[in-house]
Amino acid sequence: ARAKLNLTIERLSMRCADAESRLSAMSASRQVRDLQIQVGKLEKQIHGLHSQVADRDREIEAGEAKLREVKATLQKAIRDGSQATGLLDEEVKRGEGLTSRLEQKCMRLEETTQVLLALSKEYTRSTTELEVSLLSCATLEKEVGR
């Protein structure tokens, strides 16, 4: 669009220059006035086209600024995402370590439970033997006492 506007401006400038050269060549005052009016109109058109080019330039600059802003926002989001991923990775590793330690403690607890069960059986057996021995002693005391 800008190149087209510049081409139009260049053509209008050439027409303006052409009109000015015809103006100097003409001797009739009416023709001179008509050409002056034409030149004035062409200059207004050129001025309008310059304004359009300036407007487009401002729009382009605003668009580029918005793109830079979006790019910066995306880059920040990517950095934040990467940082969050790193933190999550660390938490997963910690969780895996805790799970491993918990599994080891559960195995030791199972072993301890087995030992306690064995001790409980031994205690019950020993208690039963002790009761039998006490009964035997009581029986012997009665017999000795007779």
Side-chain angles (χ1 to χ4, degrees):
R2 185 178 183 150
K4 192 174 182 179
L5 287 174
N6 285 335
L7 182 62
T8 304
I9 290 170
E10 186 177 278
R11 286 182 186 155
L12 289 174
S13 294
M14 289 190 310
R15 285 177 57 190
C16 186
D18 183 50
E20 286 176 345
S21 68
R22 280 189 277 155
L23 179 66
S24 64
M26 293 183 185
S27 59
S29 64
R30 183 167 187 218
Q31 289 176 335
V32 169
R33 260 182 280 139
D34 289 345
L35 288 174
Q36 286 174 335
I37 291 170
Q38 214 175 14
V39 167
K41 288 179 183 177
L42 291 172
E43 287 175 344
K44 284 181 185 178
Q45 285 180 343
I46 289 170
H47 179 71
L49 291 172
H50 279 299
S51 293
Q52 287 179 3
V53 168
D55 290 345
R56 297 301 172 266
D57 285 345
R58 283 191 292 278
E59 289 173 5
I60 289 169
E61 288 172 8
E64 288 172 345
K66 185 65 177 175
L67 283 174
R68 285 190 299 272
E69 182 181 318
V70 168
K71 181 181 177 183
T73 301
L74 285 173
Q75 287 173 335
K76 184 183 181 310
I78 288 169
R79 281 191 308 270
D80 291 349
S82 295
Q83 186 178 19
T85 300
L87 292 174
L88 283 173
D89 287 345
E90 289 176 18
E91 287 298 317
V92 166
K93 286 177 186 173
R94 282 184 51 219
E96 289 170 348
L98 290 173
T99 301
S100 175
R101 287 194 298 273
L102 189 57
E103 287 171 347
Q104 291 171 358
K105 287 183 181 184
C106 285
M107 287 177 8
R108 281 186 290 207
L109 183 59
E110 182 65 32
E111 291 169 1
T112 303
T113 301
Q114 293 300 320
V115 168
L116 286 174
L117 283 172
L119 288 174
S120 174
K121 287 179 184 177
E122 179 64 26
Y123 173 78
T124 302
R125 188 186 62 74
S126 297
T127 303
T128 304
E129 286 178 3
L130 183 60
E131 287 174 353
V132 168
S133 295
L134 287 174
L135 284 175
S136 294
C137 285
T139 304
L140 285 174
E141 283 178 355
K142 281 183 186 179
E143 285 181 18
V144 169
R146 283 188 206 163

